[in-house]
Amino acid sequence: MGVKLANLLGRRAERETVKQLLAQAHAGHSSVLVVRGEAGIGKTALIEHAHHTAAPMGFRVESSIGVESETQFAFAGLHQLCGALLDRLGALPDPQQAALGVAFGQRAGATPDRFLVALAVLNLLAEVAEETPLLCLVDDAQWLDQATAQVLAFVARRVAAERVALVFALRDHGEGDVRPFSGLPQLRLDGLGETDARALLAAAVPTPLDDGVRDRIIAEARGNPLALLELPHNTQPTQLAGGFELPDTLSVPHRIEDAFQHRSGSLPAETQLLLLVAAAEPTGEVALLWRAAEHLGIAREAAAPAEAAGLLEIDTRVRFRHPLARSAVYRAATPPDHRRVHSALAAATDPRTYPDRRAWHRAQSVLGTDEEVAAELERSADRARARGGLAAGAAFLQRSATLTPDRATRARRALEAARAKHDAGASESARELLTAEVGPLDPLQRARLDLLRAQIAFHLTRGTEVPGMLMDAAKALAPLDAALSRETYLHALDAAIINGGGDAVRVAEAALAAPAPGVPTRPVDLLLDGLATTLTRGYAAGAPGLRRALEAFRDSPHTRSVQNSQSDSWLWLAGRNAVAVLDDDLLYVLASRNVQLAREAGALATLPAALSFLSITSVLMGDLARAGELATEATAITQATGGVPLHHAHVILSASRGDQAETTALNAIIAQANIYPEEGVEVSLAQYAVAILHNGLGNYAAAQDAAARACRSDELSISSAGLPELIEASVRAGEPERAAAALERFSSRAGACATSWALGLQARSRALTSTGPAAEKHYREAIEQLRNCRIITHLARTHLVYGEWLRREGRRQDAREQLRTAHQLLSDMGAEAFAERAARELRATGEHPRKRTTQPTDALTAHELHIARLVATGATSREVGAQLFLSPRTIEAHLRNIFRKLGITSRQQLRKMQLP
């Protein structure tokens, strides 16, 4: 019985799962499966079964195998999987072609965002699958390099309507990083049942076994197929006859590895050294093996005993019997033998074709330090980072630092390695690297070290000490790097605002007291000055400067220059402060540009936050349907990239819709999350949403409490948006003194802003706190001002409160006019609680409000509505797919559903439809 067939004994359910997966993909419904289990449990056998099953069904099969010693080579696993598909690269849009070409080192260019590379791979697989179904098999995925793992996990979450199946095999017990694959459909392989285990053991050991020995082997192997196949071969015949016993202290994979070590250790010394060469070189290139062997004086005949022992197979590639055999050989060797072998491999590796592999082998061959090798590794790190391999670059830099003899140079490289690790998302590892003594640093390096420690602390803990750490770093940087010092002050100020707790004013005072930068003023400098002035000297003093900063961001040319890219990285903060100064035009431009730039760069790590903020902007502008589409897209991308869930757009959207259950649930999630400080921005923003909800529902005491909590935030955008909620709630709750105090605070802001948004809300708030003709004057002024801006939500709410006032004044006919307008606007935008409030008031005037007519588009999901809008503009499926990070085939599948729900058959009909 063949080994692979034997490994599938007792796997009927698993084989059926594979069969269904392939059938689903063949029918045009993409499928993904993660096979998990301990080493030797049969994952590779199941993957090979999938290969053999797929071939007769017409599938094209491509595969990749993760190798533990290759994790430092960026995109190595991805190139292994996609190399044979690159003849279809020309079918991709130019930015995606460039991203994949740079990632694979085939062309020069700007460092690509890893998720733009992922989109390119998604579309490459989809292009191939247009001709024939495609099965992608990835074994030992726990040992993929980080860049490959992130890309393939993204692709696995975004395939939908392509004839593509992806199967990943992951080893248990904490080996490698499997986090990118969490949440994908999973199949766990457990040990074989006793009957199947006995059948497999009988196939592995042709000689009769003593019953006690057989029972002992079955018990100790715990159903692991590889253990059942390998452990008996490592035992003497006399032991099989009556004395076989395995140590209870070792796990089954360790026992198997020990068995492989025992078997390899019995081979001739020359053969053992050749095995070590093969174990140290993960590519499996036969010619490279023989070149290295020649350097060591090993004859090719030395391979025969290893092949005869079933440890190694040399054909078109060099293959070990199992990854445990490779690791057993490598771990059993002595350090001097390791260095000899890596030295030979470095000498045998072409420095022009594979400079990074050569550098890595040279590094493993060094005893002590070696500046030449360290410098070569640093160049490899630069190449890796230029291709988008941040984790690979960090690994090269860390090893480079270890090999550096000069303490100052070693310190510089260690600092760069820590920065690269943090940028790659390995902040814990970066912190550990900085905890060690990095060596002598010059003042600028020391300041950068302090800055990095602060950034890591904020990322990991959001601790209250972080703003002070950032402020100290900014002070140290001031005489050394004025531009970086200014940005660090802004980081410190933003961290203090986000955390809450009262540090913001202290940081702002320090920023204003810092020496003049001595560099040309940038938008980011104006933003720092505007924020710091507002927090220390009051809103009226700071708002004009804050507006100038936002106008500078708006007017900044959209280019790839360093200065503009630095400004672009602060667009999200600029957008937030457009709410602070209540400027709807600046808000719309900055929020939209932030999304546009993230889309163009394929920056999926930052796009969800940009989409979420544009969603909140859309709520303010009365387009709740659009807001829902954006929030849904943000969530989908966050799930695909494994990012931290963002709840703020959803909680504000649900509150504006009047969905009490959803708003309460989301607010509870935010309130209970340990990472969010009680006085921080996230909690305050959720309280702002709760205030909107309860003002809509008419629960004014609850709205007042939530709005008051929100307005205590140092975040200017929340207090500017929250004060009108507090004023309305306080008036309706019968607390005019609180309303008057909030109005005084808001009026000072409105006077400093002088925008239609600000003046309109000021007038409405004055109307709420007034009586008689003065109140009506203010209501009319509010409507006139709000008509001149984009903030439709508050225009509709102003018609509502004006109509409520008119009804209480006994002017039923006038009230109906205002309430009808309010009800229609609020119903059309989907603000159900406020719309129902308007409906109740209309009924009180004796008029029954019109019910909203059901539209065919109501049947569309937010995602489908988003696609419909884009297609209605004339965009092709490829263009829509590029914007939404989906393949054209998936867009076509969504379009078929959209057409069916809308009762249409063409894009032309869709363009003529009125979409909400």
Side-chain angles (χ1 to χ4, degrees):
M1 183 183 297
V3 169
K4 300 306 178 188
L5 178 60
N7 271 3
L8 285 173
L9 275 171
R11 301 297 190 200
R12 178 177 299 175
E14 290 83 352
R15 295 198 304 269
E16 183 61 28
T17 298
V18 168
K19 180 181 176 182
Q20 292 176 3
L21 173 128
L22 294 174
Q24 185 176 337
H26 197 278
H29 304 286
S30 304
S31 49
V32 177
L33 185 66
V34 176
V35 182
R36 299 198 63 158
E38 67 179 7
I41 202 67
K43 303 182 297 297
T44 299
L46 192 63
I47 274 189
E48 293 195 4
H49 169 74
H51 188 163
H52 295 313
T53 304
M57 297 174 65
F59 276 83
R60 175 172 181 166
V61 182
E62 299 296 338
S63 61
S64 179
I65 301 175
V67 180
E68 189 173 11
S69 56
E70 234 189 359
T71 56
Q72 70 278 0
F73 296 113
F75 298 111
L78 191 65
H79 190 272
Q80 190 184 153
L81 182 71
C82 297
L85 310 178
L86 294 180
D87 60 326
R88 301 303 303 271
L89 195 60
L92 304 186
D94 288 342
Q96 295 175 30
Q97 289 187 47
L100 205 53
V102 172
F104 287 162
Q106 296 175 341
R107 62 189 289 181
T111 302
D113 184 275
R114 65 187 182 278
F115 294 117
L116 185 58
V117 176
L119 179 61
V121 172
L122 172 64
N123 282 317
L124 182 64
L125 300 186
E127 283 292 333
V128 173
E130 285 295 317
E131 293 182 359
T132 182
L134 177 64
L135 172 62
C136 296
L137 301 171
V138 183
D139 203 358
D140 280 323
Q142 76 279 356
W143 287 331
L144 291 172
D145 61 274
Q146 185 193 66
T148 292
Q150 290 175 337
V151 165
L152 292 181
F154 172 87
V155 170
R157 289 181 172 90
R158 298 302 275 177
V159 289
E162 300 80 14
R163 294 190 299 169
V164 174
L166 296 100
V167 182
F168 303 92
L170 293 179
R171 187 183 295 186
D172 281 341
H173 303 306
E175 297 192 48
D177 185 4
V178 300
R179 289 172 299 176
F181 302 99
S182 61
L184 293 174
Q186 182 173 295
L187 173 65
R188 175 165 295 281
L189 295 188
D190 296 316
L192 299 177
E194 184 172 342
T195 300
D196 293 314
R198 287 182 180 276
L200 183 53
L201 180 60
V205 184
T207 58
L209 288 175
D210 177 86
D211 288 344
V213 173
R214 181 187 297 108
D215 292 342
R216 180 64 174 175
I217 294 173
I218 295 294
E220 295 291 350
R222 300 174 191 169
N224 185 294
L226 188 61
L228 290 163
L229 289 166
E230 294 297 331
L231 296 183
H233 290 298
N234 194 48
T235 308
Q236 298 299 320
T238 54
Q239 291 177 298
L240 291 176
F244 187 91
E245 187 170 350
L246 296 173
D248 290 331
T249 57
L250 293 178
S251 68
V252 173
H254 280 126
R255 291 171 186 162
I256 301 170
E257 192 171 52
D258 278 355
F260 283 131
Q261 279 188 5
H262 181 82
R263 198 186 310 177
S264 65
S266 65
L267 298 175
E270 192 177 51
T271 300
Q272 290 186 49
L273 193 60
L274 183 65
L275 276 172
L276 182 57
V277 175
E281 199 346 88
T283 65
E285 185 183 336
V286 176
L288 179 59
L289 175 70
W290 295 135
R291 289 198 302 271
E294 185 178 350
H295 276 280
L296 293 167
I298 301 173
R300 296 192 177 195
E301 290 74 20
E307 291 183 297
L311 291 169
L312 192 72
E313 176 185 310
I314 302 176
D315 189 4
T316 57
R317 310 291 296 171
V318 181
R319 295 183 181 87
F320 275 88
R321 165 76 175 81
H322 189 273
L324 286 176
R326 177 193 293 273
S327 59
V329 167
Y330 195 83
R331 289 171 185 170
T334 64
D337 281 343
H338 282 156
R339 290 193 292 273
R340 284 181 64 200
V341 161
H342 281 292
S343 180
L345 285 166
T349 301
D350 184 349
R352 291 165 297 182
T353 308
Y354 301 111
D356 300 335
R357 292 188 186 280
R358 180 177 181 273
W360 191 256
H361 283 306
R362 288 191 71 192
Q364 306 311 308
S365 71
V366 171
L367 177 61
T369 60
D370 187 315
E371 174 56 30
E372 182 183 341
V373 175
E376 189 176 350
L377 280 174
E378 187 173 21
R379 290 191 291 272
S380 290
D382 292 340
R383 285 190 292 268
R385 288 185 290 180
R387 295 197 304 271
L390 294 176
F396 281 120
L397 279 169
Q398 186 172 4
R399 181 63 176 159
S400 173
T402 302
L403 297 180
T404 303
D406 178 69
R407 294 185 67 223
T409 307
R410 182 167 64 247
R412 175 184 62 78
R413 287 170 176 162
L415 181 58
E416 289 182 15
R419 163 57 66 187
K421 282 180 176 288
H422 176 58
D423 290 343
S427 297
E428 285 280 9
S429 180
R431 182 166 64 177
E432 291 170 7
L433 189 57
L434 293 179
T435 301
E437 179 56 47
V438 296
L441 297 171
D442 64 31
L444 179 57
Q445 290 170 335
R446 176 61 61 183
R448 285 179 176 273
L449 171 63
D450 293 340
L451 172 58
L452 180 56
R453 281 180 171 150
Q455 290 170 332
I456 291 171
F458 184 71
H459 178 74
L460 293 177
T461 68
R462 296 279 292 272
T464 55
E465 75 284 359
V466 172
M469 294 171 66
L470 286 165
M471 187 169 63
D472 290 343
K475 289 177 180 177
L477 284 164
L480 305 167
D481 187 334
L484 182 57
S485 172
R486 299 278 288 169
E487 290 204 50
T488 304
Y489 272 119
L490 190 54
H491 272 296
L493 187 54
D494 192 42
I497 290 170
I498 289 173
N499 276 1
D503 280 337
V505 172
R506 181 170 65 92
V507 176
E509 289 172 343
L512 291 174
V519 295
T521 302
R522 304 163 298 168
V524 66
D525 299 311
L526 294 172
L527 182 57
L528 173 62
D529 290 338
L531 268 177
T533 302
T534 303
L535 288 168
T536 57
R537 301 174 189 169
Y539 190 95
L546 202 51
R547 179 189 299 281
R548 284 194 296 274
L550 305 186
E551 289 169 346
F553 275 97
R554 178 197 63 194
D555 299 336
S556 178
H558 182 184
T559 68
R560 293 190 176 274
S561 71
V562 173
Q563 178 170 324
N564 285 327
S565 65
Q566 289 171 339
S567 294
D568 291 342
S569 69
W570 290 101
L571 268 174
W572 58 276
L573 182 57
R576 278 161 44 196
N577 281 283
V579 179
V581 298
L582 298 165
D583 191 311
D584 54 297
D585 287 330
L586 284 171
L587 172 61
Y588 178 76
V589 170
L590 296 176
S592 300
R593 180 184 290 184
N594 200 13
V595 170
Q596 176 192 357
L597 293 177
R599 284 200 197 281
E600 289 175 356
L604 296 199
T606 58
L607 181 56
L611 289 167
S612 293
F613 185 68
L614 186 56
S615 172
I616 294 170
T617 300
S618 298
V619 169
L620 290 169
M621 296 181 178
D623 194 347
L624 272 63
R626 173 74 169 144
E629 298 162 25
L630 294 165
T632 298
E633 184 186 356
T635 298
I637 293 173
T638 298
Q639 291 172 345
T641 58
V644 177
L646 302 175
H647 301 295
H648 310 110
H650 288 285
V651 73
I652 289 175
L653 178 60
S654 63
S656 300
R657 285 173 171 165
D659 188 337
Q660 185 169 8
E662 180 73 6
T663 305
T664 302
L666 288 169
N667 183 54
I669 290 171
I670 293 170
Q672 293 167 11
N674 293 331
I675 195 172
Y676 299 143
E678 186 175 348
E679 298 179 4
V681 164
E682 290 86 355
V683 173
S684 298
L685 199 56
Q687 288 300 307
Y688 163 67
V690 171
I692 293 173
L693 171 74
H694 287 298
N695 270 333
L697 294 172
N699 302 328
Y700 297 113
Q704 183 187 47
D705 179 65
R709 291 179 62 188
C711 290
R712 287 196 289 269
S713 173
D714 288 328
E715 169 62 38
L716 296 172
S717 64
I718 296 177
S719 52
S720 287
L723 282 167
E725 302 296 338
L726 178 59
I727 294 165
E728 181 175 348
S730 297
V731 168
R732 296 293 194 234
E735 295 196 35
E737 296 84 4
R738 292 189 72 178
L743 174 58
E744 182 178 358
R745 186 178 169 192
F746 186 78
S747 293
S748 69
R749 295 194 178 193
C753 296
T755 63
S756 293
W757 182 3
L759 295 174
L761 289 181
Q762 179 190 34
R764 188 182 81 189
S765 299
R766 283 178 173 166
L768 284 165
T769 56
S770 303
T771 58
E776 182 160 24
K777 175 188 173 185
H778 291 315
Y779 278 127
R780 291 184 175 278
E781 179 187 351
I783 289 172
E784 188 62 31
Q785 289 285 0
L786 291 170
R787 277 177 178 160
N788 294 326
C789 73
R790 301 171 185 266
I791 310 301
I792 305 301
T793 300
H794 280 299
L795 173 62
R797 288 178 58 181
T798 302
H799 282 292
L800 170 60
V801 292
Y802 183 24
E804 290 173 332
W805 180 83
L806 287 167
R807 187 184 70 79
R808 287 194 300 275
E809 291 291 306
R811 295 165 57 181
R812 296 172 62 179
Q813 194 63 36
D814 292 337
R816 286 173 184 166
E817 181 182 349
Q818 296 298 324
L819 292 170
R820 275 191 224 108
T821 301
H823 184 261
Q824 182 173 345
L825 287 172
L826 292 164
S827 296
D828 287 348
M829 71 176 66
E832 298 299 337
F834 284 104
E836 178 53 33
R837 193 171 128 189
R840 286 195 304 271
E841 291 289 328
L842 266 177
R843 285 192 288 270
T845 68
E847 180 174 317
H848 291 287
R850 291 183 180 179
K851 291 186 178 181
R852 179 177 174 273
T853 305
T854 302
Q855 301 294 324
T857 52
D858 294 344
L860 300 181
T861 66
H863 189 49
E864 289 171 339
L865 185 56
H866 195 179
I867 291 171
R869 284 183 194 273
L870 293 172
V871 172
T873 66
T876 65
S877 294
R878 184 176 294 279
E879 290 167 342
V880 175
Q883 178 164 333
L884 300 185
F885 301 95
L886 294 166
S887 76
R889 189 179 180 96
T890 295
I891 298 301
E892 290 292 339
H894 282 301
L895 268 181
R896 288 193 291 273
N897 287 333
I898 291 167
F899 287 173
R900 176 178 53 79
K901 290 180 178 181
L902 298 182
I904 60 176
T905 58
S906 71
R907 291 169 181 256
Q908 185 176 6
Q909 289 175 292
L910 182 60
R911 283 195 288 271
K912 293 178 179 179
M913 291 197 70
Q914 285 290 110
L915 296 175

